[in-house]
Amino acid sequence: MANKGNKKRRQFSLEEKMKVVEAVDSGKRKGDVAKEFGITPSTLSTFLKDRAKFEEKVREASVGPQRKRMRNALYDDIDKAVFAWFQEIHAKNILVTGSVIRKKALNLANMLGYDNFQASVGWLNRFRDRHGIALKAVCREDSDRLMNGLGIDKVNEWHAGEIIKLIADYSPDDIFNADETGVFFQLLPQHTLAAKGDHCRGGKKAKQRLTALFCCNASGTEKMRPLIVGRSANPHCLKNVHSLPCDYRANQGAWMTQELFNEWLMQVDARMKRAERRILLLIDNCSAHNMLPRLERIQVGYLPSNCTAVLQPLNLGIIRTMKVLYRSHLLKQILLKLHSSEDQEKVDIRQAIDMIAAAWWSVKQSTVVRCWQKAGIIPLELTDSDTEVAASEPEAASEKLWHSVALATRVPNEINFQDFVTADDDLIISQERIDTEVLQGMEAGENTDEAGSEEEGEASLPQQPKITITEAISSVQKLRQFLSTCVGVPDAVFGQLNGIDEYLMRKVTQTLVDSKITDFLQTK
């Protein structure tokens, strides 16, 4: 009896407890589950009673799955602040060591008003155990140093193993890549040098930037509707606007956030469910992508960290082509203003959205396919010379535009069209939190994604008068008249004009029919 009384009590990790609960959920008898895991019926009942706590801890990732006790830290608010900071840093693949965590803990403790807190080695070990953290050396992505021996091995390993498994059950039509890019939408050629290399983490330039999310499939047959994130929730230029060629959202930094990305994901998942499709979505591991919702029709595959510069199709020329086309639209507008001697007005968000969407839809299927081939995800069928010739097509015409505008606007000689296209390549596209924001994010009711005010979001531009449907139809007729005087107009242009004309006539006819019915009912 003495030996039985001294028997050591067994401790179960959170992972083991969840396995027991899942076994019961699978339909097994409780008695059989208790025997399988070597536990008493009373212990099993306790696990089932506490399952909500276990699931919440796993969902919030507030404790490691191997942890056996769920006791809170002595300085709970410091612990939460350090872990929130750690998650942000870890998502960016930045080197994190034990000494770095201890220094950050002391800094945050001081900001929280704790003078006696000591970030000892013991505290660090307990912090690691509480959150299931294994400290490893990870490096920040650097495309200039990527293709060393380690980078090549990592890329080759992914090509030979993981990607083959991921795409095995999907056709190129159902394999997608999504990525974000920043855009200085009001950038003029003469200001290119000042914008080059700017990360734009905030301040005045945040009002001049947008973040755009693009998504396309490997066959180039489907480009999804872009998502544009601005700073102003209700800009003047979008007043009375009910249809846009993209989805528009806003927050204080014009960044992509976890909430916005997850909202977009859920919308895509719902569309795939309605279409009875299942797709594979390849994304990088930026901070906005690291806590995904439950998805039914989308399998998410993460690209290897530090390798997106050579593995992400959108980064291999698709987004660049979109920017070439967008900047070309801007140059054409500037050239027209110069020719008519009109004053140059800043581009507003509405105009930027239209031009970004037009540029995106104008990216050719062949360009998309070549970039997927370059990433090694689908078979390479074209030669390098074919790729180079096709890639230069949109830029050749734009170079001529650039020289005309650069000469007229006195752009310095050291700035070229490539500088203009890539001026916003270094923009931060997902939210980065500094220490004060980490602490603010812990406070109840704090909304870090609050959008800027209407006045802050864009330059003060004159409000455009509302165009009636009669005026719109008249404009189409004027376009027809103008095109009839031109030589060599492609049939596709007349086809597009016919489509617009049919839509407007259908709309006005329906309006007239509805009004006649209303008038008839009122006279009865």
Side-chain angles (χ1 to χ4, degrees), residues 117-136:
F117 173 76
Q118 293 183 348
S120 62
V121 174
W123 172 86
L124 175 64
N125 290 335
R126 290 190 295 275
F127 175 79
R128 291 170 56 184
D129 291 341
R130 277 192 293 274
H131 300 289
I133 296 171
L135 298 179
K136 299 177 182 179

Side-chain angles (χ1 to χ4, degrees), residues 390-456:
S392 63
E393 285 176 3
E395 297 193 25
S398 300
E399 288 282 359
K400 294 180 181 179
L401 270 174
W402 169 262
H403 289 305
S404 299
V405 173
L407 189 64
T409 56
R410 299 179 182 178
V411 176
N413 292 331
E414 63 268 23
I415 300 174
N416 57 36
F417 181 62
Q418 302 305 320
D419 295 325
F420 188 45
V421 171
T422 61
D424 42 26
D425 281 1
D426 294 321
L427 283 180
I428 300 297
I429 54 92
S430 60
Q431 187 174 17
E432 290 188 334
R433 298 197 294 178
I434 57 176
D435 294 346
T436 53
E437 290 172 327
V438 168
L439 299 181
Q440 288 170 357
M442 295 166 56
E443 297 176 4
E446 179 71 17
N447 183 5
T448 59
D449 291 334
E450 183 180 355
S453 68
E454 187 174 331
E455 290 76 16
E456 291 175 330

Side-chain angles (χ1 to χ4, degrees), residues 230-444:
R231 190 169 184 266
S232 176
N234 300 295
H236 288 294
C237 59
L238 295 184
K239 188 175 182 181
N240 297 322
V241 173
H242 305 293
S243 296
L244 288 171
C246 69
D247 294 322
Y248 179 76
R249 299 290 184 271
N251 59 48
Q252 196 76 3
W255 286 321
M256 181 58 66
T257 63
Q258 288 178 0
E259 291 76 15
L260 290 181
F261 185 72
N262 288 350
E263 178 192 351
W264 176 80
L265 263 183
M266 294 296 288
Q267 289 173 351
V268 174
D269 193 56
R271 287 204 304 271
M272 295 305 153
K273 188 175 181 179
R274 289 193 297 269
E276 297 184 347
R277 291 176 66 186
R278 292 188 180 277
I279 67 169
L280 170 66
L281 178 65
L282 301 176
I283 57 175
D284 59 30
N285 60 352
C286 83
S287 59
H289 301 169
N290 61 11
M291 291 183 70
L292 305 183
R294 184 175 177 274
L295 302 167
E296 294 182 38
R297 298 287 176 151
I298 302 175
Q299 178 185 352
V300 173
Y302 282 101
L303 296 163
S305 59
N306 308 324
C307 298
T308 56
V310 294
L311 290 179
Q312 179 145 255
L314 281 160
N315 279 353
L316 293 173
I318 299 173
I319 286 178
R320 176 183 171 79
T321 301
M322 184 283 302
K323 287 195 173 184
V324 167
L325 295 168
Y326 175 74
R327 300 290 185 212
S328 298
H329 282 303
L330 283 177
L331 291 176
K332 289 171 185 174
Q333 281 199 352
I334 294 170
L335 200 59
L336 285 172
K337 295 284 186 182
L338 290 170
H339 182 71
S340 60
S341 301
E342 294 181 31
D343 293 336
Q344 293 290 339
E345 294 180 352
K346 288 183 178 180
V347 173
D348 63 26
I349 292 175
R350 166 77 179 277
Q351 293 169 325
I353 284 173
D354 287 341
M355 287 191 288
I356 290 172
W360 173 240
W361 299 124
S362 297
V363 176
K364 294 181 179 178
Q365 179 182 356
S366 56
T367 301
V368 174
V369 172
R370 275 190 295 272
C371 293
W372 279 88
Q373 291 170 335
K374 191 174 179 181
I377 298 173
I378 61 175
L380 184 63
E381 297 171 356
L382 297 175
T383 64
D384 289 341
S385 59
D386 291 334
T387 303
E388 289 171 6
V389 170
S392 63
E393 285 176 3
E395 297 193 25
S398 300
E399 288 282 359
K400 294 180 181 179
L401 270 174
W402 169 262
H403 289 305
S404 299
V405 173
L407 189 64
T409 56
R410 299 179 182 178
V411 176
N413 292 331
E414 63 268 23
I415 300 174
N416 57 36
F417 181 62
Q418 302 305 320
D419 295 325
F420 188 45
V421 171
T422 61
D424 42 26
D425 281 1
D426 294 321
L427 283 180
I428 300 297
I429 54 92
S430 60
Q431 187 174 17
E432 290 188 334
R433 298 197 294 178
I434 57 176
D435 294 346
T436 53
E437 290 172 327
V438 168
L439 299 181
Q440 288 170 357
M442 295 166 56
E443 297 176 4

